[in-house]
Amino acid sequence: SPRLNPDFQPVERKTFDIGRAAHRCVLGKGGDYVAYPEELLAKNGAASTDAAREWAQEMRARGMTPLKAAEVDAVHDMAAEVMGRLAFMDMAFPPARSELTVVAEIDGVMCRARIDHAPEDPRLPLWDLKTAVDASPQAVQRAIMAYGLDFQASHYVETWKAATGEDRKFNFLFV
């Protein structure tokens, strides 16, 4: 059976940082983020100074994702767009039903899934928020194939059902 790596550390990449911050804004849960103080940045705006790197390391140790001010603004714009579109469809992702972890045993294997949003109504689908540079239908299809997101969806649905008894559909929300 597969073993969990207790020393697992999250990958630090700008795209993942933006994704974590977007999750926090849209779902109201998850690790927080913070903007670099301007005085720590290099003259060209890069977070390349020793002071900026030390500050970022300290923020990560506190569980916060460091972003430049322009990135924070972009995340806020992205979240506002998502929430506006959800509201237009008479939907919302309240924090009480977001970032839910389910654990269940399936065929003798302990499985875990972190559901971005699970509406209270069991007739409604589970949701997973994905941030992407390109959310066009073609790019989304490539991402599904490249990252095995179809397997993720199946795993989440099966784990949710084993944990709750609810047979749900599953949707990705690409932004």
Side-chain angles (χ1 to χ4, degrees), residues 21-87:
H23 269 76
R24 172 66 177 194
C25 276
V26 172
L27 303 173
K29 282 191 169 176
D32 213 347
Y33 57 93
V34 62
Y36 282 91
E38 292 293 325
E39 66 271 11
L40 299 183
L41 300 176
K43 289 180 183 176
N44 66 358
S48 58
T49 66
D50 288 341
R53 283 193 288 271
E54 288 172 17
W55 181 85
Q57 187 175 12
E58 174 63 26
M59 292 302 104
R60 288 190 191 280
R62 293 183 189 180
M64 294 198 271
T65 300
L67 297 172
K68 294 179 188 173
E71 293 165 338
V72 169
D73 291 343
V75 165
H76 290 172
D77 290 347
M78 183 187 327
E81 183 70 23
V82 169
M83 289 187 281
R85 288 179 185 226
L86 288 173

Side-chain angles (χ1 to χ4, degrees), residues 141-172:
Q141 187 62 39
R142 284 191 304 272
I144 289 169
M145 299 306 292
Y147 299 114
L149 298 181
D150 51 335
F151 292 105
Q152 175 195 343
S154 293
H155 173 75
Y156 279 24
V157 166
E158 289 179 30
T159 303
W160 183 269
K161 184 173 184 177
T164 67
E166 297 174 0
D167 194 10
R168 298 254 192 141
K169 301 277 187 210
F170 185 89
N171 289 333
F172 286 106

